């Protein structure tokens, strides 16, 4: 028996009002089978007597060197394909992108929760009028030293969303609990399928189950 959890980031809302400018912001929400991020900025500039004056936004644009670096990064992202920039066991589940406590410990007691964190990169995007969509599905297998698969499940978690800019800060925080697992050495194998780019990549994390004290 196992349980699988995906980290969740709570949702909040903040309204700022100053000098006739109204802005609303909605934080990201991350839950099982779905990762979606939305950022809504609504500006209204009002003149006296009810008349509106249209103005262009005034902000500093990136330098040509910075823009060229972004273009090169985008090309490398596409060319390299699906991979992982980070994979590790963690001390408890992560709470968001880069928000985790890595641990070198891979020895667990029977029935103890096993948490891991991964950052997939190189996945594809589907561009539409709504923005850029990504869609990944995760599967896992629990394997013993003789190669026997003790537990497995395909597409048990999905990470998908649509954003105006390409969402490249995607994280997977997964927790497993295997009750009744005997002492010994095992391997936790996870596979991610890029359902837009039709590519797969995975990783294996060896671990040991010791007798409970």
């Amino acid at each position: 028996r196992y349980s699988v959890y995906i980290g969740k980031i709570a949702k909040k809302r903040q309204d700022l009002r100053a000098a006739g400018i109204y802005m609303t912001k909605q934080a990201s929400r991350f839950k099982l089978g779905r990762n979606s991020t939305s950022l809504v900025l609504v500006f209204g500039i009002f003149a006296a007597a009810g008349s509106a004056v249209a103005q262009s936004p005034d902000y500093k644009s990136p330098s040509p060197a910075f823009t060229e670096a972004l273009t090169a990064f985008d090309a490398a992202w596409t060319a390299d394909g699906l991979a992982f920039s980070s994979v590790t066991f963690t001390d408890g589940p992560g709470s968001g992108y880069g928000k985790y406590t890595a641990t070198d410990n891979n020895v667990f007691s029977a029935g103890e929760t096993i948490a891991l964190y991964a950052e997939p990169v190189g996945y594809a995007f589907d561009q539409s009028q709504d923005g850029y969509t990504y869609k990944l599905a995760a599967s896992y297998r629990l394997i013993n030293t003789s190669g026997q698969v003790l537990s497995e499940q395909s597409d048990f978690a999905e990470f998908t969303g649509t954003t105006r800019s390409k969402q490249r800060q995607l994280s997977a925080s997964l927790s497993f609990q295997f009750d009744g697992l005997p002492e010994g050495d095992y391997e936790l194998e996870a596979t991610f399928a890029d359902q837009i780019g039709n590519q797969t990549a995975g990783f294996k994390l060896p671990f040991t189950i010791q007798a409970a004290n």
Side-chain angles (χ1 to χ4, degrees), residues 140-178:
Y140 88 92
R141 298 198 306 168
L142 174 65
I143 306 171
N144 63 16
T145 53
S146 64
Q148 181 183 6
V149 178
L150 305 179
S151 178
E152 64 180 328
Q153 186 174 354
S154 298
D155 301 337
F156 73 94
E158 186 179 85
F159 304 86
T160 184
T162 301
T163 55
R164 288 297 179 183
S165 298
K166 293 180 178 179
Q167 171 60 280
R168 291 197 170 100
Q169 292 189 337
L170 183 62
S171 63
S173 180
L174 309 176
S175 296
F176 300 84
Q177 187 174 12
F178 302 102

Side-chain angles (χ1 to χ4, degrees), residues 3-4 7 10 19-21 25 28 65 68 72 75 85 104-105 108 110 117 119 148 159 163 182 186 189 205 209:
S3 300
V4 180
I21 298 177
K25 177 180 178 181
S28 60
E68 290 174 4
S85 60
D104 294 330
N105 176 52
F108 305 93
Y117 173 91
E119 292 178 359
Q148 181 183 6
F159 304 86
T163 55
Y186 300 90
E189 177 186 87
L205 288 172
I209 294 294

Side-chain angles (χ1 to χ4, degrees), residues 62-73:
S63 66
F66 185 86
T67 302
E68 290 174 4
L70 285 180
T71 300
F73 176 68

Side-chain angles (χ1 to χ4, degrees), residues 70-90:
L70 285 180
T71 300
F73 176 68
D74 188 66
W77 177 284
T78 302
D80 198 48
L82 188 61
F84 298 90
S85 60
S86 178
V87 174
T88 182
F89 285 117
T90 58

Side-chain angles (χ1 to χ4, degrees), residues 32 38 95 136 150 157 173 184 201:
L32 176 63
S38 61
S95 59
L136 303 176
L150 305 179
S173 180

Side-chain angles (χ1 to χ4, degrees), residues 5 20-22 33 43 45 49-50 54 65 81 84 88 95 104 117 132 134 167 185 191 194 211:
Y5 305 91
I21 298 177
Y22 298 82
F43 293 94
I45 301 178
F84 298 90
T88 182
S95 59
D104 294 330
Y117 173 91
Y132 297 90
Y134 59 89
Q167 171 60 280
D185 296 325
T191 302
D194 178 3

